[in-house]
Amino acid sequence: MTEVENNFSYIDENLRIIHERIEEAKAVYRRADDDVRIMAVTKTVSPEAVNHAVSLGIDLLGENRVQEYLSKKDVYDKSAEVQFIGSLQTNKVKYIIDSVSLIQSVDSLRLAETIDLHAHRQNKIMDILCEVNIGGEDSKGGVSPDMVGDFIEQISQFENIRVRGLMTIPPPSDSDIFLGRMQELFNRLSDEKKNIVSMDILSMGMTHDYAEAVKFGSTLVRIGTGLFGARDYSRK
Ligand SMILES: *Cc1c(COP(=O)(O)O)cnc(C)c1O
């Protein structure tokens, strides 16, 4: 191992702990064949550290900011899939449409319409998740839980968008209550809307609550600080 690789050994240890905790939660609460995907959330993290995580088997990266992503993407190991998870302005959709495989943060008709337009121009079908504001918090994006069913029906009309499921960032306190509500909502809508969409992704769980999220049916956990350590926002 070179010295540079050695500097990232904390990531090896963090990932080992994450796998262990996910396996523990799965063993108790889930079916043995359930797949829980780990997304490495890369905001403020150097592309070299991200690539080290990829070398350890991480095959999914989560991007929050368009500018930061564009400045790092050429350095990323191309073997990992990239999904967009941050709030997305419609005028930025065109910069990411060709290089991300899924957009998790769709919460308005206008955004869906713009994604559809640019996906059409690229001759691709863009997978998306509908972001749900499960805690009804003013500070957060997402569709309110009682509107999600109608929203899915509306955006399923777009020909170049495919709804794959739901994403949420629950309030930090009482997160198990909100994770439970998300599980109910996901199960109910997957069933009610099965003739128009086939939902197979429930994206929830971050560093502080991913084991809980696995308990409540998450299929994709998004982990930043738990993998890469505390974020340094002074980094550009
Ligand atoms: C930053 C971020 C995460 C990861 O948060 P951590 O607490 O660092 O694990 C997950 N999802 C979204 C949408 C984020 O912005």
Side-chain angles (χ1 to χ4, degrees):
M1 234 192 234
T2 70
E3 245 173 89
V4 173
E5 279 168 326
N6 264 327
N7 290 338
F8 293 130
S9 59
Y10 63 92
I11 299 176
D12 303 47
E13 176 61 9
N14 288 342
L15 185 58
R16 191 188 63 71
I17 293 165
I18 292 164
H19 277 300
E20 199 172 273
R21 294 192 59 206
I22 289 176
E23 288 311 312
E24 274 167 18
K26 271 180 66 177
V28 182
Y29 300 106
R30 302 284 291 275
R31 288 196 307 255
D33 59 348
D34 278 359
D35 191 29
V36 177
R37 233 178 146 188
I38 300 171
M39 165 185 277
V41 175
T42 68
K43 57 184 182 260
T44 77
V45 178
S46 74
E48 292 76 22
V50 172
N51 287 346
H52 183 77
V54 174
S55 77
L56 300 175
I58 288 288
D59 63 359
L60 179 60
L61 307 179
E63 297 295 319
N64 281 77
R65 302 163 182 172
V66 173
Q67 284 314 320
E68 182 181 339
Y69 169 51
L70 296 178
S71 75
K72 286 162 35 177
K73 78 189 242 290
D74 292 337
V75 190
Y76 281 166
D77 184 327
K78 298 291 177 295
S79 64
E81 181 185 338
V82 178
Q83 300 185 355
F84 199 80
I85 61 172
S87 76
L88 182 58
Q89 290 170 279
T90 52
N91 62 353
K92 302 262 173 74
V93 171
K94 57 177 178 287
Y95 300 119
I96 64 163
I97 195 83
D98 59 336
S99 65
V100 304
S101 61
L102 185 150
I103 298 173
Q104 295 205 357
S105 42
V106 178
D107 63 354
S108 79
L109 213 49
R110 209 166 86 84
L111 178 57
E113 204 168 11
T114 309
I115 293 169
D116 182 61
L117 174 79
H118 289 286
H120 179 77
R121 286 184 186 159
Q122 297 274 331
N123 203 16
K124 75 188 269 186
I125 309 280
M126 182 53 89
D127 283 343
I128 64 122
L129 303 183
C130 170
E131 182 173 349
V132 180
N133 188 348
I134 196 67
E137 297 168 286
D138 290 338
S139 60
K140 280 184 188 149
V143 178
S144 87
D146 45 320
M147 300 298 292
V148 180
D150 288 347
F151 185 64
I152 287 171
E153 281 192 22
Q154 287 172 317
I155 58 180
S156 67
Q157 317 270 343
F158 293 118
E159 284 188 2
N160 291 75
I161 281 183
R162 180 166 45 213
V163 180
R164 293 284 304 274
L166 306 178
M167 177 272 222
T168 197
I169 308 171
S173 59
D174 295 325
S175 69
D176 55 342
I177 292 174
F178 294 105
L179 294 167
R181 284 190 196 157
M182 267 311 284
Q183 180 176 38
E184 277 169 32
L185 185 66
F186 180 75
N187 289 343
R188 182 167 61 75
L189 291 176
S190 302
D191 184 50
E192 279 179 17
K193 308 294 176 199
K194 62 174 179 284
N195 294 327
I196 52 171
V197 291
S198 163
M199 300 212 294
D200 59 346
I201 303 174
L202 176 56
S203 169
M204 60 182 192
M206 303 173 27
T207 296
H208 72 282
D209 64 352
Y210 67 87
E212 280 282 289
V214 170
K215 169 177 172 181
F216 289 103
S218 172
T219 71
L220 190 163
V221 293
R222 310 179 307 265
I223 302 180
T225 51
L227 184 60
F228 296 116
R231 279 185 281 277
D232 178 0
Y233 284 99
S234 64
R235 252 193 59 89
K236 279 273 156 49

